[in-house]
């Protein structure tokens, strides 16, 4: 028998290898009827990254994929992207957040009554059409958690006072901080409050925080929107501690590579990741796409974003209670 040419033997072996090799796994199916549109950008450690974590958890458990679109920080762009997504024929369920995009989503819910909209971050009092579900944030609960956790650490660091920096429209959060601090053992007379006139003025926040530290506070809790960025830098300047409500100072410090993160205890923020995961799971089972649970408001949970400073300074029993979710707001006496 003649010998096969080398090239022929190579082709035969290659063909056998191709036939024997396992087929590449098919990509997971995409749920084209669902789209998530979230304020922020990838890597900014804000609402979009939190939503992305919820989407990843859902996709890993369900073996499907959904569309997730970053909306950035520009309201002008939101006003273009949100209506365009609502007009897309395939989209039957739109999940939007936080408050700015959600308000645009509420407008689109009235324009497209045959579609379903889940709106994260809108106030619970919003008038809702029957095809909209609002997951609202409880500012008192966020304030309570920050006041209790930061207040507990402050009592271990110094006899007082405890500082609070509050911005406009944060009355409920301020009441929650006061209540949480009281439950942590602070006498109301030992709590100092500085108000800032704008939620968008870090310089005013810096100055207000310095006044609180100047009165002897070792810990200041900020509930002042973007003005809380000034608190973050003031804490680093005097080498004392700070915490936030809705404003995650650790994320801000990481973005700008600021050493101020060493003085940031943590922040009480909306639990966007869990909310997105839960909504997607319900939608996958048909409970949302077909209109159940709509035309009403529900609660968006609260999550404490802890830092190394918190883990170093907080007592172990407090950290354990936090991990087990055993910190419900308690009524103040």
């Amino acid at each position: 028998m003649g010998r096969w040419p080398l090239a022929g033997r190579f082709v035969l072996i290659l063909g056998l290898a191709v036939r024997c090799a396992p087929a590449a796994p098919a990509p997971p199916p995409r749920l084209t009827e669902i789209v998530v549109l979230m304020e922020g950008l990838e890597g900014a450690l804000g609402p979009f990254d939190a939503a992305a974590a919820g989407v990843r958890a859902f996709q890993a458990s369900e073996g499907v994929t959904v569309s997730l679109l970053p909306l950035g920080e520009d309201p002008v762009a939101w006003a273009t992207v949100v209506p365009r997504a609502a007009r897309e024929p395939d989209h039957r369920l739109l999940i939007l957040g936080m408050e700015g995009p959600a308000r645009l989503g509420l407008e689109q819910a009235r324009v497209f009554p045959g579609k379903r909209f889940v709106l994260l971050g809108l106030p619970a009092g919003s008038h809702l059409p029957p095809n909209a579900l609002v997951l609202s944030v409880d500012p008192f609960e966020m304030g309570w958690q920050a006041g209790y956790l930061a207040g507990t650490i402050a009592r271990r660091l110094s006899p007082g006072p405890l500082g609070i920096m509050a911005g406009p429209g944060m009355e409920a959060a301020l009441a929650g901080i006061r209540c949480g601090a009281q439950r942590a053992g602070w006498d109301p007379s030992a709590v100092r409050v500085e108000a800032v006139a704008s939620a968008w003025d870090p310089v005013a926040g810096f100055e207000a925080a310095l006044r609180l530290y100047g009165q002897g506070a070792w810990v200041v809790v900020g509930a002042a929107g973007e003005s809380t960025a000034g608190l973050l830098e003031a804490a680093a300047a005097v080498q004392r501690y700070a915490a936030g409500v809705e404003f995650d100072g650790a994320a801000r410090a990481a973005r700008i590579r600021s050493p101020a993160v060493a003085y940031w205890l943590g922040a009480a923020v909306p639990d966007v990741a869990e909310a997105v995961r839960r909504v997607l799971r319900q939608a996958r089972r048909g409970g949302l796409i077909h209109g159940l649970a709509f035309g009403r408001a529900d609660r968006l949970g609260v999550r404490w974003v802890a830092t190394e400073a918190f883990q170093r300074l907080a007592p172990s029993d407090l950290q354990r209670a936090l991990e087990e979710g055993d910190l419900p707001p308690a009524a103040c006496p």
Side-chain angles (χ1 to χ4, degrees):
M1 181 181 297
R3 300 179 64 185
W4 283 26
L6 181 61
R9 283 179 287 169
F10 176 77
V11 171
L12 176 61
I13 293 171
L14 180 61
L16 290 173
V18 169
R19 285 196 296 270
C20 296
R30 177 175 292 275
L31 300 181
T32 57
E33 66 269 33
I34 302 175
V35 61
V36 182
L37 302 102
M38 190 60 57
E39 173 186 348
L41 295 169
E42 184 177 3
L45 303 179
F48 177 80
D49 284 333
V55 168
R56 287 193 300 271
F58 165 75
Q59 293 178 157
S61 66
E62 300 290 328
V64 295
T65 63
V66 298
S67 296
L68 171 63
L69 303 178
L71 292 176
E73 304 290 350
D74 183 2
V76 175
W78 301 344
T80 300
V81 176
V82 171
R84 183 188 302 152
R87 290 193 300 268
E88 178 62 40
D90 287 344
H91 294 162
R92 298 173 58 196
L93 172 66
L94 294 90
I95 304 168
L96 297 110
M98 295 297 287
E99 184 173 353
R103 289 191 182 279
L104 294 169
L106 183 59
E107 296 174 6
Q108 296 303 310
R110 297 188 176 106
V111 175
F112 297 98
K115 298 182 182 236
R116 302 291 182 259
F117 293 78
V118 177
L119 310 172
L120 276 62
L122 278 185
S126 303
H127 178 67
L128 301 178
N131 60 330
L133 168 65
V134 161
L135 298 180
S136 61
V137 180
D138 183 351
F140 181 91
E141 182 180 355
M142 286 193 295
W144 189 96
Q145 189 178 87
Y148 181 76
L149 295 174
T152 300
I153 291 176
R155 283 179 55 82
R156 294 164 62 92
L157 294 175
S158 168
L162 176 68
I164 304 175
M165 189 177 76
M170 298 299 286
E171 292 79 11
L174 174 59
I177 297 170
R178 287 182 181 275
C179 180
Q182 190 171 346
R183 297 297 298 182
W186 284 93
D187 187 285
S189 64
V191 176
R192 305 286 184 267
V193 179
E194 284 281 343
V196 292
S198 169
W200 299 94
D201 190 348
V203 174
F206 182 84
E207 294 170 348
L210 287 183
R211 289 194 292 272
L212 289 166
Y213 290 124
Q215 296 174 49
W218 269 82
V219 175
V220 175
V221 181
E226 288 296 312
S227 296
T228 311
L231 167 62
L232 173 67
E233 297 304 323
V238 299
Q239 298 185 356
R240 294 187 182 181
Y241 295 95
V245 175
E246 281 197 281
F247 179 90
D248 184 2
R252 175 63 59 87
R255 288 203 300 271
I256 62 177
R257 299 182 180 180
S258 169
V261 69
Y263 302 97
W264 187 259
L265 296 173
V269 301
D271 194 355
V272 172
E274 175 57 20
V276 168
R277 187 201 67 80
R278 178 163 50 91
V279 167
L280 289 173
R281 187 172 182 274
Q282 291 173 337
R284 170 72 162 159
R285 284 147 179 77
L288 293 182
I289 290 180
H290 299 298
L292 300 179
F294 278 78
R296 67 183 182 89
D298 205 340
R299 290 280 295 279
L300 183 61
V302 174
R303 180 173 66 96
W304 177 256
V305 183
T307 63
E308 291 183 7
F310 177 84
Q311 294 167 350
R312 184 178 71 253
L313 296 171
S316 59
D317 59 336
L318 180 67
Q319 297 191 48
R320 184 166 53 255
L322 185 62
E323 292 171 0
E324 295 172 355
D326 194 22
L327 286 178
C332 290

